[in-house]
Amino acid sequence: MRLRTSLIQAALAACVAFVPFAHASNPVFPGWYADPEAAIFEGQYWIYPTTSVRYGLQTGFDAFSSKDLVHWTKHEGVLRMADVPWAKKAMWAPAMVEKDGKYYFFFSANDIQSDKEVGGIGVAVADKPEGPFKDLLGKPLVDAFHNGAQPIDPFVFHDDDGSWYLIYGGWKHANVVKLKPDFSGVEPTADGKLWHEITPEKYVEGPLMFKRNGKYYFMWSEGGWTGPDYSVAYAIGDSPLGPFKRIGKILQQDPKIATGAGHHSLFHVKRDDSWFIVYHRHPLGDTDGNHREVSIDRMEFDAQGHILPVTITNEGVPAHAL
Ligand code: FUB
């Protein structure tokens, strides 16, 4: 009898130990979404993507939040075109930061083709990560071409000396410019210059910057975003103003998994120094350029600080608490 009881107890203990652990799968949530901006706000993971439909239909943004990278909650319409008086045509490619308890949502709008048109990069603000976000300035933050860069695809980098930088640019040119601390405009760097061009070899769009062990990592997308060869490369420099020399590709298609893997951002979990790359890609065999889906995989560094090539997967990543 005692033997049977202890066998039952052992079986129960084994069951408790074998609670199946949660695992994501790629794409991480349903729907055509692209240009995902990853942020950690209020103890949760957040993704702010472009709604990947024709430009004319890009009239607002949804956001997604998660506590574990596996289960995602959709927040619909966190920023709508109706709340940006100067936006008329398309809104896409968000960049997010938190500052002094407010949340700032940078975005591209109107797809301007010359300085004669109204549009460029805007910024909206909210009290909560889920919005509702409202236009901050009543006009674009960057409304013209500088150094040949179309004012799209913003990324905001907060340096550890307190400076805020906007890194942006389409049409194969990347600029970095210092932001005023209240994000109401741009201001010169110490050398008196405003628009610093940092375009590396093969740069196309989708820039991103972070700092690790005292070095500045600059990342971007190359290739064409509607096609299979879209990809991500990077450089390492000693200053946010460059220079940046291309090191190589770290994210690209895998003909067994998906095509056009690009326009990424990153989750850095400080607790265990783990890094996740959040990016969009096209399903295999689907040639509609707007059919883009958001996926997450691991990103790792070698002992010298180089970024290792990312393995893109269908399985995604295991649950990862913050
Ligand atoms: O979503 C529109 C465009 O797709 C972005 O500007 C590019 O970076 C590309 O991802």
Side-chain angles (χ1 to χ4, degrees), residues 35 50 55 92 152-153 205-206 225 230 263 280 292:
D35 314 331
T50 297
Y55 270 177
W92 79 97
I152 64 163
D153 287 5
E205 58 197 8
W225 65 267
Y230 205 46
H263 201 128
H280 74 234
R292 297 177 287 178

Side-chain angles (χ1 to χ4, degrees), residues 32-33 52 225 281-283 286-293:
W32 302 128
Y33 289 101
S52 191
W225 65 267
R281 62 195 203 185
H282 302 289
D286 191 330
T287 53
D288 184 323
N290 276 315
H291 285 181
R292 297 177 287 178
E293 300 176 306

Side-chain angles (χ1 to χ4, degrees), residues 86 138 146 186 204 209 254 322:
W86 54 271
H146 299 280
V186 300
V204 174
M209 189 174 284
D254 176 338
L322 281 167

Side-chain angles (χ1 to χ4, degrees), residues 19-319:
V19 174
F21 73 99
H23 205 286
S25 63
N26 284 328
V28 286
F29 42 73
W32 302 128
Y33 289 101
D35 314 331
E37 167 74 346
I40 295 174
F41 292 142
E42 299 185 346
Q44 292 207 89
Y45 298 97
W46 287 81
I47 295 178
Y48 299 82
T50 297
T51 303
S52 191
V53 290
R54 278 191 290 114
Y55 270 177
L57 302 175
Q58 286 176 187
T59 56
F61 296 92
D62 301 328
F64 297 83
S65 62
S66 173
K67 286 191 188 312
D68 59 5
L69 293 180
V70 175
H71 305 95
W72 291 90
T73 302
K74 182 174 176 173
H75 306 265
E76 270 183 54
V78 297
L79 173 62
R80 298 175 192 273
M81 192 175 273
D83 291 312
V84 183
W86 54 271
K88 302 287 175 229
K89 193 166 144 193
M91 296 167 73
W92 79 97
M96 303 297 304
V97 295
E98 184 270 331
K99 181 174 187 284
D100 302 331
K102 299 255 185 218
Y103 297 87
Y104 293 87
F105 190 127
F106 297 76
F107 55 93
S108 323
N110 294 358
D111 190 27
I112 64 168
Q113 304 295 302
S114 79
D115 292 348
K116 294 194 185 110
E117 296 171 47
V118 175
I121 293 171
V123 54
V125 64
D127 293 329
K128 293 180 288 181
E130 65 269 37
F133 288 88
K134 306 284 175 199
D135 187 41
L136 179 68
L137 304 174
K139 60 179 185 179
L141 172 67
V142 182
D143 65 356
F145 285 69
H146 299 280
N147 304 320
Q150 189 190 25
I152 64 163
D153 287 5
F155 182 81
V156 178
F157 169 64
H158 192 200
D159 205 351
D160 40 26
D161 68 355
S163 304
W164 294 88
Y165 294 95
L166 173 70
I167 299 113
Y168 73 93
W171 289 11
K172 301 188 176 173
H173 290 274
N175 286 337
V176 54
V177 62
K178 200 168 173 198
L179 288 169
K180 290 183 178 169
D182 61 1
F183 303 148
S184 63
V186 300
E187 62 182 29
T189 44
D191 57 5
K193 208 170 146 185
L194 276 171
W195 312 97
H196 297 258
E197 178 159 18
I198 52 167
T199 310
E201 191 195 351
K202 296 192 178 170
Y203 174 90
V204 174
E205 58 197 8
L208 177 147
M209 189 174 284
F210 65 94
K211 194 171 184 181
R212 182 175 183 268
N213 296 337
K215 295 283 184 191
Y216 295 85
Y217 288 70
F218 178 39
M219 305 179 81
W220 62 88
S221 294
E222 353 186 287
W225 65 267
T226 56
D229 65 337
Y230 205 46
S231 49
V232 171
Y234 82 109
I236 303 177
D238 294 319
S239 155
L241 307 178
F244 290 106
K245 187 165 162 25
R246 184 181 186 278
I247 295 174
K249 265 186 211 216
I250 58 98
L251 179 77
Q252 58 191 310
Q253 66 175 323
D254 176 338
K256 290 190 295 303
I257 307 285
T259 59
H263 201 128
H264 73 303
S265 58
L266 302 170
F267 285 126
H268 177 214
V269 181
K270 291 194 180 143
R271 169 178 65 79
D272 57 3
D273 195 25
S274 53
W275 293 77
F276 298 92
I277 187 163
V278 187
Y279 60 97
H280 74 234
R281 62 195 203 185
H282 302 289
L284 284 181
D286 191 330
T287 53
D288 184 323
N290 276 315
H291 285 181
R292 297 177 287 178
E293 300 176 306
V294 173
S295 295
I296 303 179
D297 281 300
R298 276 270 184 186
M299 191 178 95
E300 290 172 319
F301 298 83
D302 70 11
Q304 287 71 46
H306 293 120
I307 304 176
L308 295 171
V310 171
T311 303
I312 71 168
T313 67
N314 288 323
E315 295 77 34
V317 294

